[in-house]
Amino acid sequence: MTKQKTKIKATFNGPYIVEGKIPIQEQMIEKDAATQSWTYKVGKRLDEPSEPTKLCRCGHSANMPFCDESHCK
């Protein structure tokens, strides 16, 4: 089995650009009954994006976590 290299680049005023296939999955933080301890709950797995994958950094994308170029507006 050949290991695939993954590269992540933070662009200036734009998304993270990821080269190489990566699994993307939601994770939610949950509190316990005393609200003092945090655990992670695994959520749904998102569709495999095309390469390169653009991940939103501005928080305005309508297609989170993927960039839809909203930062350009």
Side-chain angles (χ1 to χ4, degrees):
M1 176 182 251
T2 305
K3 278 191 165 187
Q4 182 179 6
K5 290 186 178 185
T6 302
K7 294 166 88 177
I8 301 173
K9 178 182 177 183
T11 61
F12 182 74
N13 288 333
Y16 290 115
I17 299 185
V18 181
E19 294 179 19
K21 287 287 186 183
I22 57 168
I24 299 179
Q25 186 170 337
E26 288 182 331
Q27 292 208 358
M28 288 76 68
I29 300 173
E30 294 186 327
K31 300 177 192 177
D32 66 4
T35 68
Q36 295 180 356
S37 179
W38 300 86
T39 59
Y40 288 95
K41 178 181 176 185
V42 176
K44 68 180 178 179
R45 183 180 172 105
L46 302 174
D47 292 334
E48 287 288 329
S50 59
E51 281 192 64
T53 303
K54 295 179 182 178
L55 299 176
C56 178
R57 292 191 324 157
C58 72
H60 296 289
S61 176
N63 190 27
M64 291 296 276
F66 307 107
C67 176
D68 67 359
E69 306 288 322
S70 291
H71 61 276
C72 295
K73 297 174 187 166

